[in-house]
Structures are given as structure tokens and as C-alpha cells.
Amino acid sequence: NAGVTQTPKFQVLKTGQSMTLQCAQDMNHNSMYWYRQDPGMGLRLIYYSASEGTTDKGEVPNGYNVSRLNKREFSLRLESAAPSQTSVYFCATGRDNLGLGSYNEQFFGPGTRLTVL
Amino acid sequence: QKEVEQNSGPLSVPEGAIASLNCTYSDRVSQSFFWYRQYSGKSPELIMSIYSNGDKEDGRFTAQLNKASQYVSLLIRDSQPSDSATYLCAVRGSNYKLTFGKGTLLTVNP
């Protein structure tokens, strides 16, 4: 039971290059999230997917696209990387139950450390 | 704009003491509240969840929630050097999304 996995762990890109960050979960959760974490800025939501087949923008979506391939997988794509996208990227899944007494916790993958030169 | 505010620290306590971490939030309809621990270079790890006013205890950790004051706190009793980390407060509103504070760096000195 791996929980939430992310690939790659580290990546260095040149400005203008593209890449896809992969996330997979075996927790059977419906919702999945992509965050970026920068010093002094905290965790910021890029995109999320409440369920298979749906995606929505978060706080900082510009320069990114996402694909919810199936219930298990949620990928983040940088079409033309910029130095401002240098960050640590975390994927998370959410245990969804919006009923009374529900916490809806989110669980994080190990992260991808991306540097754009 | 929903905001979650934390004292950035660093908060330094001696081993064995109680560490008190605080968080305020702006969205009155917030429903669930979380504390995550993040070691340097690692991902956030959920340590406490709370949604009702009052205290919730789990081992050495106690989460306290006061919705009227829009305030949530985390107490760590008998602090250990292994508790040294950044603690993130997160708040969920009426949808699936969490809003995170910027975190408080805690250092427990042997």
C-alpha cells in the first residue's frame, strides 16, 4: 500500500522546456490536488480534481495544465517552463465525505523538486 | 480572500516543555481544521484533525478549536527534539479545498 506516489523526485529543466509530473494513489480517494510550495509563500493550490473526469483551477493555475486520467492518476503539465515555476510540487488526495462529522483530510505524496534554469 | 495566519516563529522550547502553536482564520464558514507536521525536505504529514469546538487529544498532541474567535491551536506536551519541524495549519471551507497557513517553525532544544 504505497499511498500517494509522485515521479520524478527531482527535475532540472531549461526555460521553455515542457514536462509532466505524475501522481498516483492507491487510497481509493475521489479528490486529488496539486500544490506548489515556495519559501515564504506556503502551500498554494494549483489545480484540483473533485472526482474522475473533473478538474478545476486553484489559486495559481497559470502556466499549468492537468489531466485526471482515471481515479488513481492525476498529472500536472508544464507546457513551457519558466524560472518562476521553480518550486517543490506536491500531489495530495482527499478523503471526501462532506457529511456532518466529516474531516475530509488530505494526504500528501513525497513531492517533486523542480528547478527551471 | 480566505486567509489562515500563523506566527512564523521560530518557536524555541526546551525538551519536556509544552509547545503551543496558534492559528487564526478569516472564513467564518470554515468547517474542518487540520495540523500538519513537515520536516525539512519532506512532505506535510497530517497529525491532527478537528471540527467541533473544544479540545481533541491524541497522545502528546491536543488540538483546540474556538469557532467564535476563529482560532485553532496545537499543544505538544513533553516536547521532544524529534518534534522539531514546521507545523502547518489548514482550514477547509464548504468545498473540498484547504487553505494553508505559512507554517510555524518549532525547535525543541535538548
Side-chain angles (χ1 to χ4, degrees), chain A residues 31 33 35 37 40-43 45 48 50 57 59 90 96 98 100-111 113, chain B residues 1 31-34 36 38 40-46 49-52 56 88 92 94-98 100-102:
Chain A
S31 62
Y33 308 81
Y35 292 90
Q37 188 174 39
M41 299 298 293
L43 277 162
L45 182 65
Y48 70 104
K57 295 178 180 179
E59 181 184 354
F90 291 106
D96 325 316
L98 295 180
L100 185 65
S102 165
Y103 290 117
N104 305 107
E105 301 100 333
Q106 290 185 13
F107 302 90
F108 285 78
R113 283 147 184 80
Chain B
Q1 180 77 2
Q31 298 184 1
S32 303
F33 307 85
F34 308 92
Y36 287 82
Q38 186 174 26
S40 180
K42 301 295 185 182
S43 60
E45 173 193 8
L46 180 66
S49 306
I50 188 168
Y51 74 97
S52 297
K56 180 184 178 185
L88 306 174
R92 183 180 72 79
S94 57
N95 55 30
Y96 296 105
K97 294 186 285 186
L98 296 185
F100 285 84
K102 295 180 180 179

